[in-house]
Amino acid sequence: MTGIRNIVILTGAGVSAESGIDTFRDGGGLWEQHRVEDVTTPEAFVRDPDLVQRFYDMRRAAIQTREPNAAHHALARLDAEWPKEDGRGLLIVTQNVDDLHERAGANRVLHMHGEHLKAWCTACDRRSPWRGPLLDRPPCPACGAAALRPDVVWFGEMPYRMDEIHEALREADLFVSIGTSGAVYPAAGFVRTARDLGARTLELNLEPSQGSRWFHEARHGPATELVPAWVKEVLAAR
Ligand code: APR
């Protein structure tokens, strides 16, 4: 992998699976007999705000009891050791809304689907760090309105910071997808964008994803084995 300067990494739920955080499409994707897709939409929030708030209150509490795994720590090591100067870059674009990349020590992380540990005020539009429940309509820290929602991108809403992501894909020499099914766009399309713009593409996943055919190389197995081995390899070839 010589000549690599800019790396873009896309992570999905599979990178947090071995930390005990359920993925979306393994194991049926159900919560209290609701399909996850039925509680993660703006329409669901209008129809039954308490149901949606309870779903996210449960997930927000759950992630605070989990720890980063060897895959998160390996990516944090890469973030620390991969050169930042003279236009060499690294960006970890995550679809995950947990904070395990950050708790492992990674800094160059972009949450395209938002974050469990933030609340978004629908009255004043401010986002605030948030660890507790939202079900009991607490006041917004900025404006006081009882108008806080999870700062998570729902189906049908625009993912965050897409311009920055596309800029990084344009500069990428290497695109690595870790622990994602390739089922949800726009993230599922990043591999083709990167490949069309000349990047090498690598998939690290438990099993072939829906986009496996677009990758130059694919390695299948648990992230806690594949990711540390790959990070060691890419740092050795610097
Ligand atoms: N190691 C590596 N990969 C794993 C592991 C593991 N231990 N366990 C599961 N996987 C893989 C699965 O094989 C699957 O391909 O992780 C992927 C998880 O896929 P999804 O559950 O679809 O999660 P993700 O791809 O992140 O979903 C994308 O969909 O529901 C929306 O917004 C939500 O961000 C989410 C998006």
Side-chain angles (χ1 to χ4, degrees), residues 46-66:
V46 170
R47 188 173 58 242
D48 189 345
D50 284 5
L51 175 74
V52 174
Q53 295 286 21
R54 278 196 300 111
F55 173 75
Y56 281 98
D57 286 355
M58 177 274 293
R59 301 273 295 198
R60 189 177 310 110
I63 64 160
Q64 297 178 65
T65 66
R66 303 291 188 237

Side-chain angles (χ1 to χ4, degrees), residues 7-231:
I7 305 175
V8 174
I9 296 168
L10 173 68
T11 65
V15 83
S16 296
E18 291 164 89
S19 294
I21 296 179
D22 293 344
T23 63
F24 289 86
R25 287 168 190 80
D26 298 338
L30 285 179
W31 171 73
E32 290 189 2
Q33 280 62 55
H34 295 279
R35 285 179 348 110
V36 171
E37 290 84 85
D38 296 340
V39 292
T40 57
T41 66
E43 296 75 18
F45 192 57
V46 170
R47 188 173 58 242
D48 189 345
D50 284 5
L51 175 74
V52 174
Q53 295 286 21
R54 278 196 300 111
F55 173 75
Y56 281 98
D57 286 355
M58 177 274 293
R59 301 273 295 198
R60 189 177 310 110
I63 64 160
Q64 297 178 65
T65 66
R66 303 291 188 237
E67 294 302 323
N69 63 51
H72 296 108
H73 287 297
L75 292 176
R77 177 186 167 211
L78 181 64
D79 187 359
E81 296 184 23
W82 190 257
K84 300 170 181 60
E85 66 279 358
D86 65 68
R88 291 163 71 96
L90 170 80
L91 181 64
I92 300 171
V93 179
T94 187
Q95 301 171 89
N96 300 339
V97 288
D98 62 55
D99 64 339
L100 297 185
H101 282 305
E102 291 86 349
R103 280 168 52 204
N107 297 302
R108 294 182 271 185
V109 180
L110 189 160
H111 284 271
M112 66 179 287
H113 288 168
E115 297 175 68
H116 272 322
L117 299 183
K118 280 190 182 159
W120 177 16
C121 181
T122 56
C124 73
D125 207 29
R126 287 280 298 273
R127 286 164 168 85
S128 310
W130 202 270
R131 289 184 172 274
L134 291 173
L135 180 62
D136 48 3
R137 303 290 188 280
C140 165
C143 75
L148 294 174
R149 60 161 272 187
D151 185 19
V152 172
V153 176
W154 287 332
F155 282 98
E157 295 181 328
M158 255 317 267
Y160 292 161
R161 300 167 62 186
M162 288 299 291
D163 292 347
E164 286 175 65
I165 294 170
H166 278 117
E167 175 62 28
L169 291 172
R170 272 195 293 278
E171 304 292 321
D173 307 299
L174 176 60
F175 175 78
V176 185
S177 176
I178 303 173
T180 181
S181 59
V184 174
Y185 285 79
F190 291 168
V191 57
R192 269 177 277 173
T193 304
R195 185 183 177 126
D196 290 351
L197 292 167
R200 270 197 64 72
T201 56
L202 169 65
E203 172 174 85
L204 305 177
N205 204 57
L206 192 61
E207 63 208 358
S209 73
Q210 295 182 26
S212 266
R213 65 189 179 286
W214 299 106
F215 288 88
H216 293 107
E217 183 188 358
R219 302 177 192 173
H220 298 133
T224 54
E225 288 172 23
L226 293 178
V227 179
W230 170 70
V231 165

